[in-house]
Amino acid sequence: TEDEIMLFEREMKEFWTKLKSIYGTEQISQTLALRDSCKESIKALSEKWSKKLKEGDLMIDKIHEYSSEIVQQSQRISENQKHLTEIKSNLNEEEEQKKNLSDCIQQLKEELMKKQEIISSKNKAAKERVERLCKSKELFEERLGLEIRRIHNEQLQFIFRYIDHKDPDKPYVFTLSINEQGDYEVTSCTPPLDCIAEFQLKVRETNNFSAFVANIRKAFTALSYK
């Protein structure tokens, strides 16, 4: 309050008055000068330490900044290592897939070569059979009145005559081929015979081709009398 302030000022004046009467003006001046010197020293020291503290704060901020950068760098390194690990894993998988694909291609090549060898062997056997049949042409023509012609797709056409006593020149025809399994197969028959499938099955079992041709001629002959 104002009264308290006035009382404080009065007490201060009394204190200075007593101090002057005890120590004198000169001593008080020296004391004040010493006080001022101390204040200046304290101020200079305070400014110095304040500057040091500011420098320390800046150093701490720099340390925090460097620490943050180090953490970020560590995170980036960790992410790069993880990415590198994924790339290595993908490369390993691609190498494995490449190896599997190469093995699969090699296996397919080997299977294809085997199939080609089998097909070539069957084609060779089929051609040999056709050649043997052609060599038997004269024998069949002489004994059975048969004409054999080679037509398209390596097929043989068998033409019988002298079967129908009413019309000796009337042709009775069936066409024969060698299928992919290497078996005899009748592809056409004129006039048609109900027993042709049976004859075909029998010649596959016995491989007796002469009997097969003779049986077909007998069937044509029987048909001509109906």
Side-chain angles (χ1 to χ4, degrees), residues 207-219:
N207 203 31
N208 189 340
F209 188 75
S210 298
F212 169 70
V213 175
N215 287 333
I216 291 179
R217 190 177 189 283
K218 289 178 182 179

Side-chain angles (χ1 to χ4, degrees), residues 2-102:
E2 292 182 1
D3 293 338
E4 290 176 343
I5 294 172
M6 292 175 64
L7 179 61
F8 178 74
E9 289 179 351
R10 187 171 60 249
E11 289 177 352
M12 287 296 295
K13 287 179 180 180
E14 291 176 356
F15 172 78
W16 282 113
T17 301
K18 289 180 181 180
L19 186 66
K20 287 178 182 180
S21 64
I22 295 172
Y23 291 102
T25 303
E26 184 178 354
Q27 288 182 344
I28 292 173
S29 298
Q30 291 177 355
T31 301
L32 291 175
L34 180 61
R35 182 197 66 183
D36 292 339
S37 176
C38 288
K39 285 183 177 179
E40 290 295 329
S41 297
I42 292 171
K43 182 180 179 182
L45 186 61
S46 298
E47 289 178 352
K48 179 179 179 182
W49 281 107
S50 177
K51 184 178 179 181
K52 291 290 185 181
L53 289 173
K54 289 181 180 179
E55 291 176 353
D57 291 339
L58 291 175
M59 183 66 70
I60 291 173
D61 292 339
K62 285 291 184 182
I63 291 173
H64 288 162
E65 183 179 349
Y66 292 151
S67 298
S68 178
E69 289 182 358
I70 291 172
V71 171
Q72 292 177 0
Q73 288 287 347
S74 298
Q75 290 177 347
R76 284 195 289 269
I77 291 172
S78 178
E79 291 174 356
N80 290 335
Q81 288 178 343
K82 182 179 179 181
H83 185 57
L84 181 61
T85 302
E86 291 177 353
I87 292 175
K88 288 182 178 180
S89 177
N90 291 333
L91 288 174
N92 291 334
E93 290 179 0
E94 290 178 358
E95 287 294 331
E96 185 68 20
Q97 292 176 357
K98 182 179 178 181
K99 183 179 181 301
N100 292 337
L101 181 60
S102 178

